[in-house]
Amino acid sequence: MAVTAIVILRIKNLFTVVMLGGIYSLLSAQMFVNLDAVDVAFTEAAVGAGISTVLMLGTLALTSREEKSEKKSSRTFWLPLVVVFSTGIALIYGTLDMPDYGDPNAPVHHHVAPRYLLDSEGEVGMPNVVTSVLASYRGFDTLGETTVVFTALVGVLILLATRRRRKDNDAPTLADLEEQEDDA
Amino acid sequence: MQYNEIINPGLYNYWIVIFLMMIGFYIVIARGNLVKKLVGLNIFQTSVFVLYISMGKVVGGTAPIFGEGFEVFSNPLPHVLILTAIVVGVATTALGLSLVVRIREAYGTIEEEDIHAQEEDF
């Protein structure tokens, strides 16, 4: 995954960048399977690797395929690097207090998770705990998610619809065509 | 702090996540192409997903689906949160991409520098 990410950083051809983005997504889906999150894995594979790659390719079809190689001044090179490194070091400092990987005594596993695991089969009747939490215990979360998706869809439609209308205005109208015929 | 406390193998998963996250962050702030910025944002996003899911992992656990012979399960809560986050992430990516398409129509380019140059000309 790290190699893919670095190649994405270096490469200029946007088509390759987008395809590598899809590969990166697919690799992360495999990682989720290893971490026992099968539901997340197939959502990531379908939505992350599938739909977003298609959307990106659609955008590339409407725009350009090559990234312009820009002249690097020393400021545009060093400033982001310093910011990124200091953020990374701050985050690593923050992880020193985190519980170990896979530790069953970590605080995350002792809040609501035991209740979901112990009672959800009796209360909701689903063998898959993720489904029952998603649809029942945290149903409002899912409702909020649907609202976000709906709003985003409306936004996309508004942005792309104004574009089409403007194109129609540029197209010759019927009156223009009749004038041309008269001239001929 | 003692040496073996700092070099703790139990924390490697967080460090991998931070490495990926910082690559994504660097792409977002250092590259001028708008589509590439969005790909960088996706890398950042996916690394956050990996962070959450790896926190939910329990050693020796299986996926949280009941079945005979399985006693230890990984924490289902992060899985649910990330399922929501993936879908929301794609929705916001779609919105960002449509903005890119509009910017391309208004300015004829998707490079940040060219857009700034055109703005200064006005």
Side-chain angles (χ1 to χ4, degrees):
Chain A
M1 275 174 90
V3 173
T4 326
I6 291 170
V7 174
I8 289 175
L9 174 68
R10 302 295 312 174
I11 235 162
K12 294 277 179 204
N13 185 326
L14 287 176
F15 183 76
T16 323
V17 167
V18 169
M19 291 325 275
L20 281 171
I23 290 173
Y24 178 85
S25 243
L26 211 58
L27 286 176
S28 74
Q30 282 176 344
M31 205 164 188
F32 292 146
V33 173
N34 284 337
L35 294 169
D36 297 342
V38 281
D39 307 75
V40 182
F42 65 64
T43 312
E44 176 71 36
V47 175
I51 296 178
S52 12
T53 310
V54 170
L55 287 174
M56 296 249 180
L57 288 178
T59 313
L60 288 192
L62 290 171
T63 59
S64 60
R65 281 197 168 191
E66 287 292 324
E67 183 183 16
K68 209 184 69 177
S69 52
E70 49 203 80
K71 277 168 266 149
K72 286 255 171 262
S73 67
S74 63
R75 191 186 64 85
T76 54
F77 179 73
W78 285 109
L79 185 66
L81 214 60
V82 170
V83 170
V84 164
F85 264 99
S86 46
T87 318
I89 287 166
L91 285 173
I92 285 179
Y93 176 71
T95 61
L96 293 181
D97 286 337
M98 297 285 280
D100 282 0
Y101 167 75
D103 182 6
N105 297 316
V108 215
H109 306 309
H110 292 277
H111 186 46
V112 286
R115 186 200 143 101
Y116 290 154
L117 287 173
L118 293 174
D119 299 343
S120 74
E121 199 172 19
E123 288 179 347
V124 186
M126 280 287 198
N128 188 340
V129 187
V130 175
T131 314
S132 53
V133 176
L134 186 75
S136 176
Y137 294 109
R138 299 190 74 91
F140 279 112
D141 255 17
T142 312
L143 183 67
E145 170 200 340
T146 329
T147 317
V148 172
V149 173
F150 176 73
T151 318
L153 186 74
V154 169
V156 170
L157 286 180
I158 288 173
L159 283 170
L160 295 183
T162 43
R163 165 175 167 262
R164 193 162 303 136
R165 205 172 306 135
R166 198 161 298 165
K167 224 172 230 174
D168 288 347
N169 288 345
D170 291 343
T173 56
L174 201 61
D176 291 338
L177 290 176
E178 278 171 3
E179 249 173 50
Q180 280 177 3
E181 271 175 26
D182 288 347
D183 291 344
Chain B
M1 216 176 286
Q2 287 191 344
Y3 175 78
N4 58 355
E5 226 171 290
I6 297 171
I7 312 296
N8 182 349
L11 297 175
Y12 280 170
N13 61 324
Y14 303 117
W15 297 345
I16 294 167
V17 164
I18 289 169
F19 180 68
L20 293 174
M21 201 185 272
M22 288 306 113
I23 294 176
F25 189 32
Y26 183 77
I27 297 177
V28 172
I29 60 179
R31 289 287 179 265
N33 186 294
L34 294 175
V35 173
K36 202 155 178 184
K37 271 180 196 285
L38 281 171
V39 174
L41 209 58
N42 272 346
I43 291 178
F44 195 109
Q45 201 179 27
T46 313
S47 72
V48 176
F49 299 162
V50 175
L51 171 73
Y52 268 69
I53 299 295
S54 71
M55 282 199 283
K57 169 78 178 168
V58 175
V59 164
T62 61
I65 301 173
F66 295 120
E68 278 178 38
F70 297 114
E71 293 295 325
V72 184
F73 302 105
S74 288
N75 193 339
L77 189 58
H79 301 185
V80 175
L81 298 179
I82 295 311
L83 273 180
T84 311
I86 290 177
V87 177
V88 168
V90 168
T92 48
T93 307
L95 194 62
L97 288 171
S98 63
L99 277 172
V100 171
V101 171
R102 288 288 294 127
I103 288 172
R104 154 86 178 183
E105 292 201 339
Y107 292 92
T109 176
I110 52 170
E111 302 288 338
E112 202 179 26
E113 282 184 353
D114 297 351
I115 294 170
H116 284 314
Q118 286 187 29
E119 285 283 296
E120 277 162 17
D121 289 345
F122 280 121

